[in-house]
Amino acid sequence: MGVEIERKFLVTGDAWRAAAASREVLRQGYLANTGRASVRVRRAGDAAWLSVKSMTRAIVRDEYEYPIPMADADAMLDRLCDGPRVEKVRHLVTVGAHAWEVDEFLGDNAGLVVAELELDDADEPFERPAWLGAEVTHLERYYNFNLATRPYSQWPAHERGCG
């Protein structure tokens, strides 16, 4: 079974940029949402894949990923995905023993910067860099699926935080 153990945080400031080792543009869209799971197509650099992810609000979620040809990904993104696409620049930032994925959203989600950390265990300790803000792992509005249907630019000012 595919399992993802991930924590998600808001990012404060730009201090993380100096430590970013790489950057890659990601484009993704959603083919389906059953309420229990979402089906996503994602393109990053010269790779593409389909992902099926459970829609639970938890650190540990089911996730299955399958590589697909780039031409298929492009066709699905252009013709089959519902709602707007989510586009972001992913920066890899190493802090201690962990590699953080800092996602800087583009388009209708511009202004949102989120750091994600994949862990081997839900209780695994990790170093909290100074630029790490509030944890939003359990807040569905920060899930990419929701950002595709209700982008950050449409949120009222009072929702642009963790509350």
Side-chain angles (χ1 to χ4, degrees):
M1 176 187 296
V3 174
E4 172 187 63
I5 303 171
E6 178 181 80
R7 301 211 26 205
K8 187 179 292 214
F9 298 83
L10 296 177
V11 172
T12 60
D14 286 330
W16 59 272
R17 290 184 188 280
S22 65
R23 77 187 291 278
E24 185 171 51
V25 176
L26 281 72
R27 182 174 180 234
Q28 65 191 43
Y30 290 85
L31 299 166
N33 174 23
T34 68
R36 291 181 58 182
S38 66
V39 180
R40 169 185 76 196
V41 59
R42 177 184 275 176
R43 179 183 175 156
D46 60 355
W49 56 96
L50 283 176
S51 300
V52 179
K53 190 181 276 196
S54 64
M55 296 293 286
T56 57
R57 282 185 278 167
I59 292 170
V60 180
R61 301 193 303 168
D62 294 336
E63 181 181 48
Y64 305 89
E65 292 189 322
Y66 306 96
I68 60 173
M70 292 292 286
D72 290 356
D74 289 338
M76 285 186 252
L77 283 165
D78 292 340
R79 298 194 304 258
L80 301 179
C81 291
D82 288 332
R85 308 308 168 257
V86 173
E87 295 180 316
K88 56 190 174 181
V89 178
R90 173 162 287 169
H91 307 266
L92 293 182
V93 181
T94 300
V95 177
H98 293 95
W100 291 84
E101 296 174 339
V102 178
D103 289 341
E104 190 172 19
F105 288 84
L106 306 171
D108 288 341
N109 289 299
L112 179 60
V113 182
V114 174
E116 297 178 351
L117 180 62
E118 292 200 16
L119 302 167
D120 294 323
D121 182 89
D123 298 320
E124 181 179 340
F126 59 92
E127 186 177 334
R128 281 186 68 104
W131 43 263
L132 205 61
E135 184 164 7
V136 295
T137 303
H138 301 297
L139 299 176
E140 289 182 8
R141 70 175 169 257
Y142 291 98
Y143 291 8
N144 287 308
F145 178 82
N146 288 323
L147 292 172
T149 56
R150 187 169 178 244
Y152 186 69
S153 63
Q154 295 177 8
W155 295 9
H158 72 276
E159 287 186 21
R160 293 185 184 207
C162 68

